[in-house]
Amino acid sequence: MGRGPYSYRQDPAVPAFRDDRPLVLFDGDCALCSGSARKILKHDRAGSIRLAPTQSPLGRALLVHYGVDPDDPYTMLLIQDGVARERSDGVLGIAALLPPPYRLAVVGRIVPRILRDTLYDFIARRRRRFPGSAWCAMPPEGVDLTDRVLG
């Protein structure tokens, strides 16, 4: 992840996108990840977070840019202020953008990253075993997707 802020702007493989708000990349083929994306849409009432499935052209290009295998994305990626955060740092960064009680999860930062990432990796490797279906195109009730889901 050792790329400078907004480095994707100089990468010709990354389609241009509005990066004035945080962007979360999620695995649209994973029920756990898609469920998390739906929760973000539902609870981010201010509409300050954008989402893009990793299967989209933008999602794939950003994963490649940051060295994540686009055919097996092991992480939700948070891109905020031009900087990408992955694994447990990404999840905690997303939680910090949401209202309580989700924001309270940031206390997890007191746990050493190696332990947080070990737990994250354990869940990520098993994410497709969770019951449920893939990403549902229907937004949570009352959520306007205009300018929220990129692809």
Side-chain angles (χ1 to χ4, degrees):
M1 288 274 138
R3 299 203 175 242
Y6 298 102
S7 62
Y8 52 81
R9 288 179 177 172
Q10 283 74 47
D11 187 339
V14 176
F17 67 99
R18 291 183 55 201
D19 58 6
D20 58 327
R21 292 187 270 168
L23 173 65
V24 174
L25 300 180
F26 67 97
D27 183 353
D29 290 337
C30 164
L32 180 63
C33 304
S34 295
S36 296
R38 287 178 56 84
K39 280 192 185 348
I40 291 168
L41 286 171
K42 181 177 179 182
H43 296 290
D44 174 31
R45 295 196 197 320
S48 61
I49 302 171
R50 290 190 174 108
L51 293 112
T54 57
Q55 292 77 11
S56 69
L58 174 62
R60 289 185 67 81
L62 285 167
L63 289 177
V64 169
H65 179 81
Y66 287 108
V68 177
D69 180 358
D71 295 319
D72 187 21
Y74 59 86
T75 184
M76 286 184 91
L77 198 64
L78 169 65
I79 301 173
Q80 183 178 18
D81 298 324
V83 177
R85 290 189 278 169
E86 64 177 341
R87 299 164 74 193
S88 65
D89 282 344
V91 169
L92 293 173
I94 294 166
L97 297 169
L98 294 173
Y102 301 98
R103 186 174 296 155
L104 298 176
V106 298
V107 300
R109 289 186 176 138
I110 64 171
V111 176
R113 182 184 300 163
I114 188 78
L115 295 176
R116 288 186 279 125
D117 283 349
T118 298
L119 176 61
Y120 185 96
D121 292 343
F122 178 83
I123 294 169
R125 283 192 305 274
R126 292 158 180 79
R127 71 187 186 278
R128 295 183 192 250
R129 296 181 195 166
F130 287 85
S133 59
W135 168 257
C136 175
M138 297 301 294
E141 188 173 321
V143 173
D144 179 10
L145 294 184
T146 305
D147 200 34
R148 297 281 307 276
V149 177
L150 305 177

